[in-house]
PDB file of all heavy atoms in Angstrom:
ATOM      1  N   LEU A 168      16.746  49.544  37.595  1.00  0.00           N
ATOM      2  CA  LEU A 168      17.787  50.375  38.168  1.00  0.00           C
ATOM      3  C   LEU A 168      17.461  51.867  38.049  1.00  0.00           C
ATOM      4  O   LEU A 168      17.532  52.614  39.042  1.00  0.00           O
ATOM      5  CB  LEU A 168      19.145  50.055  37.551  1.00  0.00           C
ATOM      6  CG  LEU A 168      20.339  50.766  38.184  1.00  0.00           C
ATOM      7  CD1 LEU A 168      20.437  50.458  39.685  1.00  0.00           C
ATOM      8  CD2 LEU A 168      21.650  50.334  37.465  1.00  0.00           C
ATOM      9  N   PRO A 169      17.093  52.373  36.854  1.00  0.00           N
ATOM     10  CA  PRO A 169      16.758  53.820  36.793  1.00  0.00           C
ATOM     11  C   PRO A 169      15.572  54.191  37.678  1.00  0.00           C
ATOM     12  O   PRO A 169      15.576  55.215  38.342  1.00  0.00           O
ATOM     13  CB  PRO A 169      16.429  54.037  35.307  1.00  0.00           C
ATOM     14  CG  PRO A 169      17.100  52.896  34.602  1.00  0.00           C
ATOM     15  CD  PRO A 169      17.025  51.738  35.544  1.00  0.00           C
ATOM     16  N   LEU A 170      14.556  53.349  37.690  1.00  0.00           N
ATOM     17  CA  LEU A 170      13.371  53.642  38.518  1.00  0.00           C
ATOM     18  C   LEU A 170      13.689  53.645  39.978  1.00  0.00           C
ATOM     19  O   LEU A 170      13.352  54.565  40.743  1.00  0.00           O
ATOM     20  CB  LEU A 170      12.278  52.622  38.228  1.00  0.00           C
ATOM     21  CG  LEU A 170      11.057  52.662  39.127  1.00  0.00           C
ATOM     22  CD1 LEU A 170      10.326  53.997  38.998  1.00  0.00           C
ATOM     23  CD2 LEU A 170      10.127  51.497  38.845  1.00  0.00           C
ATOM     24  N   LEU A 171      14.417  52.608  40.470  1.00  0.00           N
ATOM     25  CA  LEU A 171      14.742  52.509  41.863  1.00  0.00           C
ATOM     26  C   LEU A 171      15.683  53.610  42.322  1.00  0.00           C
ATOM     27  O   LEU A 171      15.537  54.162  43.405  1.00  0.00           O
ATOM     28  CB  LEU A 171      15.357  51.119  42.165  1.00  0.00           C
ATOM     29  CG  LEU A 171      14.418  49.918  41.976  1.00  0.00           C
ATOM     30  CD1 LEU A 171      15.170  48.638  42.209  1.00  0.00           C
ATOM     31  CD2 LEU A 171      13.199  50.019  42.830  1.00  0.00           C
ATOM     32  N   SER A 172      16.660  53.963  41.487  1.00  0.00           N
ATOM     33  CA  SER A 172      17.572  55.035  41.856  1.00  0.00           C
ATOM     34  C   SER A 172      16.819  56.382  41.963  1.00  0.00           C
ATOM     35  O   SER A 172      17.082  57.188  42.853  1.00  0.00           O
ATOM     36  CB  SER A 172      18.689  55.160  40.852  1.00  0.00           C
ATOM     37  OG  SER A 172      18.199  55.443  39.541  1.00  0.00           O
ATOM     38  N   TRP A 173      15.854  56.579  41.086  1.00  0.00           N
ATOM     39  CA  TRP A 173      15.049  57.817  41.147  1.00  0.00           C
ATOM     40  C   TRP A 173      14.199  57.838  42.415  1.00  0.00           C
ATOM     41  O   TRP A 173      14.079  58.857  43.067  1.00  0.00           O
ATOM     42  CB  TRP A 173      14.146  57.902  39.916  1.00  0.00           C
ATOM     43  CG  TRP A 173      13.305  59.137  39.899  1.00  0.00           C
ATOM     44  CD1 TRP A 173      13.630  60.407  39.451  1.00  0.00           C
ATOM     45  CD2 TRP A 173      11.942  59.261  40.355  1.00  0.00           C
ATOM     46  NE1 TRP A 173      12.612  61.272  39.608  1.00  0.00           N
ATOM     47  CE2 TRP A 173      11.571  60.600  40.166  1.00  0.00           C
ATOM     48  CE3 TRP A 173      11.031  58.400  40.933  1.00  0.00           C
ATOM     49  CZ2 TRP A 173      10.288  61.103  40.487  1.00  0.00           C
ATOM     50  CZ3 TRP A 173       9.788  58.858  41.281  1.00  0.00           C
ATOM     51  CH2 TRP A 173       9.413  60.169  41.065  1.00  0.00           C
ATOM     52  N   LEU A 174      13.613  56.680  42.777  1.00  0.00           N
ATOM     53  CA  LEU A 174      12.811  56.603  43.998  1.00  0.00           C
ATOM     54  C   LEU A 174      13.660  56.887  45.240  1.00  0.00           C
ATOM     55  O   LEU A 174      13.229  57.597  46.138  1.00  0.00           O
ATOM     56  CB  LEU A 174      12.143  55.230  44.107  1.00  0.00           C
ATOM     57  CG  LEU A 174      10.952  54.981  43.190  1.00  0.00           C
ATOM     58  CD1 LEU A 174      10.526  53.492  43.294  1.00  0.00           C
ATOM     59  CD2 LEU A 174       9.783  55.872  43.531  1.00  0.00           C
ATOM     60  N   VAL A 175      14.844  56.250  45.304  1.00  0.00           N
ATOM     61  CA  VAL A 175      15.700  56.434  46.449  1.00  0.00           C
ATOM     62  C   VAL A 175      16.126  57.908  46.574  1.00  0.00           C
ATOM     63  O   VAL A 175      16.134  58.462  47.683  1.00  0.00           O
ATOM     64  CB  VAL A 175      16.971  55.519  46.355  1.00  0.00           C
ATOM     65  CG1 VAL A 175      17.966  55.880  47.427  1.00  0.00           C
ATOM     66  CG2 VAL A 175      16.547  54.051  46.472  1.00  0.00           C
TER      67      VAL A 175
END
Side-chain angles (χ1 to χ4, degrees):
L168 186 57
L170 172 62
L171 295 177
S172 61
W173 181 84
L174 285 173
V175 171

